[in-house]
Amino acid sequence: MVGLIALASLALSMVAVPPAAADPSDFLYVANSDDGTVSVIDTTSDIVSATPITVGTAPTWVAMFPNGTKAYVTNSGSDDMSVINTATNTVSATIAVGDEPRGVAVTPDGTKAYVVNTLDGTVSVIDTATDSVSTTITVGNTPIGVAVTPNGAKAYVANLNANSVSVIDTTTDSVSSTIAVGANPSTVAVTPNGAKAYVTNNTSNDVSVINTATDAVSSTITVGTAPRGVAVAPNGGKAYVVNYGSNSVSVINTTTDAVSSTITTNIGTSPSGVAFTGDGTKAYITNTGSDNVSVINTATDTASPTLLTVGGGPLGEAASPDQGDTGVTFEVSATDGLTVAVPTSATLSTVTPGGTATGQLGQVTVTDERSLADASWVATVSLTDPFTTPGGSPITGSAVTYTPGAAIDPVNGPFTPGTAGTLASARTAFSKTSGSGNNSVKWNPTLDVAVPAAAVAGTYTGTVTHSVA
């Protein structure tokens, strides 16, 4: 008589990232690097204001205060930053920062602005209550762009000549990690849910996608020549990458992280920057070489034949939210983690030597309560202890066949059973490769053990282990 017992257990957990909100916008502020001005565009009518705002020398980047009352403009030629009062469109303050400031980003709560100083490898932290520098952070070589996560916890800085991204902890204002990316990274954009950061690599002609939970590159996307600006739509569905060297815009599907289309028609010469309106219906591309701005309909991913003439050498830009609007943010927390539950034991059929012991292990259950936008996982199974009995030879995984069977009580699928096969090595038992939110599924696998003709009588015991990640 040959009997058998199978055992299994394991549990994992992860934390979800909170989403962010976006505001509608009425105006776009464009930094004109060649003539020291900022052009203001009414995004409702796409009319450029007749009188641009005079700022410092060689303005490069623009960032908006969350309530739209201020626009911060970095002046790379005069080593300072102009603060524009958007109610009067006049400069209300000038802040001295580091050497050749370029990128600037404001925290979602509006308490700080991070200014990247390209030639001295630092970031100036601005106290927005006083519009003064509160501290300076050393980052990588030749930093260019910066973006802050929607929850305000991190700032990502692209270091052009270090081929890296510095991650700043905004609580301590210190660098918490450094991420290797492509060649000559220039700008960064974070998705509205905070899960990913997209980094344009100017020389390797691609975009590095950073998983912000792990601060590691999850994928690399080939785009056009010399990508510069990047921005993510307010709904998080698309990222627009501006290709300076090929006069085009690559549209990235942020779910698949693949280029879905490329816009070339009605894009000007040497495009550099990109910004979305708050409602996401339009995207504006600054064309540095032709001194104008392209307007893209984001529903069709086509650019208007009418290009808007602005000042000389337009670079960075930012949209202003409507005055009086209230930005509301809330956090959706994960219910729990990712776990697998299994029977503590199972007994297969009794067989004689040379036969096959068979039976079901009982229901295996995977429960995913991480509340993720990408709720994917893979459950694996392996024979961690071969089947043995006193005086007998071990029966290893090559003689053991695992058949997952169909999904039982599936919640928020789809789920895919693995293919039947031996446990000579670990194999997929079940998986979920798409969908979002909490989910669960059960299955009752069948185990078949081919018993050798030379097997001795006794009760054979082994361990089957399920895991999920």
Side-chain angles (χ1 to χ4, degrees):
M1 168 177 167
V2 180
L4 175 149
I5 298 175
L7 308 173
S9 65
L10 189 72
L12 296 177
S13 64
M14 292 183 68
V15 178
V17 180
D23 291 319
S25 59
D26 288 330
F27 298 98
L28 186 79
Y29 289 75
V30 179
N32 303 308
S33 61
D34 290 349
D35 57 18
T37 65
V38 170
S39 294
V40 182
I41 299 174
D42 183 332
T43 57
T44 302
S45 61
D46 285 338
I47 294 175
V48 181
S49 173
T51 306
I53 306 166
T54 300
V55 289
T57 305
T60 304
W61 229 282
V62 186
M64 296 303 304
F65 201 66
N67 66 2
T69 57
K70 300 178 186 179
Y72 288 92
V73 182
T74 55
N75 303 305
S76 61
S78 49
D79 297 340
D80 55 24
M81 185 165 70
S82 299
V83 183
I84 295 175
N85 179 333
T86 58
T88 60
N89 280 341
T90 57
V91 174
S92 59
T94 301
I95 309 168
V97 289
D99 197 356
E100 195 173 298
R102 288 184 177 266
V104 56
V106 182
T107 57
D109 64 3
T111 59
K112 297 178 183 179
Y114 289 83
V115 179
V116 172
N117 304 306
T118 299
L119 293 188
D120 61 16
T122 64
V123 172
S124 298
V125 183
I126 308 297
D127 180 341
T128 59
T130 60
D131 281 336
S132 61
V133 176
S134 59
T135 190
T136 302
I137 308 166
T138 299
V139 289
N141 189 9
T142 323
I144 298 287
V146 58
V148 177
T149 56
N151 64 2
K154 298 177 182 179
Y156 289 84
V157 178
N159 304 308
L160 183 75
N161 290 332
N163 299 336
S164 68
V165 170
S166 297
V167 184
I168 295 174
D169 181 330
T170 58
T171 301
T172 60
D173 282 334
S174 60
V175 175
S176 59
S177 64
T178 302
I179 308 166
V181 290
N184 298 126
S186 55
T187 58
V188 189
V190 181
T191 55
N193 68 359
K196 299 177 183 179
Y198 290 85
V199 182
T200 57
N201 301 309
N202 185 65
T203 303
S204 53
N205 301 328
D206 53 27
V207 172
S208 298
V209 184
I210 295 174
N211 179 331
T212 59
T214 61
D215 282 339
V217 174
S218 58
S219 62
T220 301
I221 308 166
T222 299
V223 289
T225 305
R228 296 282 179 91
V230 58
V232 181
N235 66 5
K238 299 176 182 178
Y240 280 20
V241 176
V242 176
N243 303 306
Y244 182 89
S246 52
N247 297 334
S248 65
V249 176
S250 297
V251 182
I252 294 174
N253 180 323
T254 58
T255 300
T256 61
D257 281 337
V259 174
S260 58
S261 64
T262 302
I263 307 169
T264 57
T265 304
N266 299 321
I267 303 298
T269 305
S270 304
S272 294
V274 54
F276 287 91
T277 54
D279 61 7
T281 59
K282 297 179 183 178
Y284 291 80
I285 310 298
T286 54
N287 302 308
T288 306
S290 51
D291 299 341
N292 52 28
V293 173
S294 299
V295 184
I296 296 176
N297 179 329
T298 59
T300 60
D301 285 339
T302 56
S304 167
T306 302
L307 277 65
L308 311 180
T309 300
V310 288
L315 290 173
E317 56 185 324
S320 172
D322 288 341
Q323 303 303 310
D325 287 353
T326 300
V328 179
T329 301
F330 67 93
E331 179 177 338
V332 177
S333 61
T335 306
D336 205 338
L338 177 64
T339 59
V340 60
V342 299
T344 56
S345 64
T347 301
L348 305 186
S349 62
T350 300
V351 297
T352 56
T356 298
T358 186
Q360 292 185 300
L361 298 185
Q363 288 186 357
V364 177
T365 304
V366 168
T367 303
D368 183 359
E369 295 184 331
R370 299 170 296 171
S371 313
L372 296 182
D374 178 14
S376 58
W377 51 259
V378 176
T380 58
V381 60
S382 59
L383 184 68
T384 50
D385 293 318
F387 293 102
T388 59
T389 193
S393 298
I395 301 175
T396 63
S398 59
V400 180
T401 298
Y402 180 95
T403 304
I408 301 171
D409 299 331
V411 177
N412 195 20
F415 305 99
T416 305
T419 57
T422 73
L423 298 183
S425 60
R427 65 186 306 107
T428 298
F430 245 84
S431 65
K432 178 176 173 61
T433 57
S434 63
S436 62
N438 293 345
N439 60 89
S440 65
V441 68
K442 303 173 185 176
W443 67 96
N444 191 354
T446 299
L447 210 64
D448 295 297
V449 181
V451 178
V456 301
T459 298
Y460 283 70
T461 302
T463 304
V464 173
T465 301
H466 287 85
S467 61
V468 65

